[in-house]
Every structure is written in structure tokens, then in C-alpha cells.
Amino acid sequence: MLEINDINTYRAAAHVLQGISLSVGEGEVVCLVGRNGAGKTTTIESIMGLLPVKSGTIRLHEKDITGLPAHERAKLGLGYSPEDCGIFPELSVAENLMISEWLSEVAARERGAAVESTEERIYSVFPEVRDLVDRQGINLSGGQRKMVAIARAMALSPSLLLLDEAFEGLAPVVVGRFREAVIKIKALGISILIAESHLPAAAAVADRLYAIDRGEIIFHGKPDEAIKNEKVMKTLHG
């Protein structure tokens, strides 16, 4: 599904990602965990094409997308929910979703494929969104913004979702709701890569887990193996 091989990414003069490699298989939930500043968001933005990689390759469905702009990656089935949600504040929730639906329709027409309706899939995961469609983005709570951001990414009909800090800043009961949503999205056949600071939240949903520190992968394995790994736990807790 997704293969990242030895990528190096800079932010201005700072060499943030230093030879990162990871993969996501079909139907998998993979989590990238690390402290703030470890390189999680830079990894997600590199995959999405929001940051150029200096070297290395990124492949989606065996297609090299390393040099493609972000909107072309989205048309290939790469959905993205950013850490700050990126909801357009003056647009309604319906209009926020419409932006992704339009891009999905463009991509389907270019492939000569039938246009797929995504509404029922979105509402099957987030029935709450149905009651928010007329509300402006500026009037959403933090949890509602995250919900709409993921719903908007799902409106692309993606094969792979990138979720940056999906559980960050949420009350424990809301975190539980988002864990359920991740499980439902996986059941729809959508693979997921989650960047997350909180290991227990990641471990509850991940099939596999990578730990990152100072721009390098320091662990790859099952979530329970990470929890038992003294080096990983010490690194994540500073």
C-alpha cells in the first residue's frame, strides 16, 4: 500500500528526517509514535507532499509519488487529516466535505471510473457529522473539528488515511470514541497511518507500530513489544 524508503527531509536548514523507512500494508492500522518534535508531523507532511524530500522514495500502490504535488497524491487515494484539523472556518461542514468530494469526482472521471458516493460511509463512522452539516467550521468544538477533518479526508474515497495526532487534546471519553472510529474505518477496507504522541492510545488501535526520535526510527514491531521495550518507553517519556 505505502512504502517509504530512506527519506531525508529538511525544514529550512534543519535536517529533520534522517533516513526514515516504513510501510503500511492493505487493511492495516500503523502508528508512528514519538515525542513532540521527534519528526512525526514532518513524516506525514513528507508523505502527503506538503514538504519536499531531499532524497529517498515514497511509493503508493507501487507507484513512485515522491515528486508529485499534494493534490495529485490525494487524487491517487491518499487522504489527510492534519494536526490542526485545517477546517475552513467560514465554510459550513457540508462545504468542507464538498471540497474533497469534488476532488474525488475529478479523480474518478480522469480514471474513467464511476463516481462513488461517500456520505453513507462517512455517516456510518461518524453519525454525529450528519447533525453538523449546516454549522460553520468556526463554531465547532475541538473534538468536532477532528471528526470533520477525518470525515473530509474520507470524502476523497481514499485507500490510505494519514491522521496526524488524531487523539491529541481530547478528553478520555472522546479518545475512546475516536478509537472506535479508527476500527470502523479499517473495517471499510481503508488503511491508516496515525502519527501519535501517546503510546497507550496508539497501542489500542495499531496492528504495527514505529517509534521515532530525533528524525530516526528507533523501533518497529507490535504495540505490546514497544510497551515492554525499556529504550522506547524511556525515549517517549523523556
Side-chain angles (χ1 to χ4, degrees):
M1 177 68 73
L2 176 72
E3 293 181 71
I4 302 164
N5 184 40
D6 197 27
I7 64 169
N8 288 269
T9 302
Y10 287 72
R11 287 187 183 272
H15 188 181
V16 181
L17 299 186
Q18 304 185 34
I20 292 290
S21 296
L22 60 82
S23 65
V24 181
E26 290 199 27
E28 271 197 313
V29 176
V30 175
C31 287
L32 178 66
V33 297
R35 295 177 294 178
N36 290 336
K40 302 187 304 299
T41 293
T42 300
T43 302
I44 296 293
E45 291 183 352
S46 297
I47 297 168
M48 195 64 230
L50 300 174
L51 283 174
V53 299
K54 186 74 172 179
S55 63
T57 58
I58 302 170
R59 302 181 71 86
L60 182 67
H61 300 298
E62 300 185 353
K63 176 182 175 66
D64 190 338
I65 64 170
T66 312
L68 289 182
H71 71 279
E72 292 293 343
R73 300 185 196 205
K75 286 161 67 176
L76 290 173
L78 196 56
Y80 171 53
S81 173
E83 181 179 5
D84 65 358
C85 300
I87 299 301
F88 294 99
E90 300 304 322
L91 298 183
S92 69
V93 168
E95 289 166 335
N96 271 276
L97 298 178
M98 197 180 301
I99 293 169
S100 289
E101 290 168 354
W102 172 80
L103 188 58
S104 177
E105 290 171 6
V106 170
R109 285 197 296 269
E110 289 180 356
R111 296 193 308 268
V115 176
E116 179 185 351
S117 174
T118 57
E119 279 192 6
E120 289 309 313
R121 298 181 84 193
I122 291 170
Y123 296 148
S124 71
V125 176
F126 293 118
E128 302 95 329
V129 171
R130 196 189 296 270
D131 297 325
L132 299 174
V133 290
D134 295 324
R135 190 176 301 183
Q136 281 186 306
I138 198 171
N139 295 322
L140 299 175
S141 69
Q144 289 169 338
R145 285 197 300 273
K146 285 185 181 289
M147 194 178 296
V148 171
I150 298 173
R152 184 177 59 187
M154 289 180 65
L156 277 169
S157 297
S159 54
L160 173 64
L161 272 180
L162 306 176
L163 307 182
D164 194 358
E165 299 287 8
F167 309 121
E168 181 72 18
L170 300 177
V173 66
V174 183
V175 170
R177 173 69 187 88
F178 274 74
R179 286 177 185 163
E180 293 173 4
V182 168
I183 293 168
K184 288 181 179 179
I185 293 170
K186 178 184 176 182
L188 292 172
I190 300 171
S191 300
I192 308 172
L193 175 61
I194 304 174
E196 177 57 43
S197 301
H198 191 51
L199 178 57
V205 296
D207 296 305
R208 290 188 295 115
L209 185 145
Y210 293 85
I212 186 172
D213 187 51
R214 299 181 182 180
E216 297 183 40
I217 298 297
I218 61 169
F219 173 86
H220 169 224
K222 297 291 185 180
D224 58 343
E225 295 170 349
I227 292 171
K228 296 174 185 176
N229 188 300
E230 185 177 341
K231 178 183 177 183
V232 172
M233 297 305 293
K234 184 177 180 180
T235 300
L236 293 178
H237 290 96

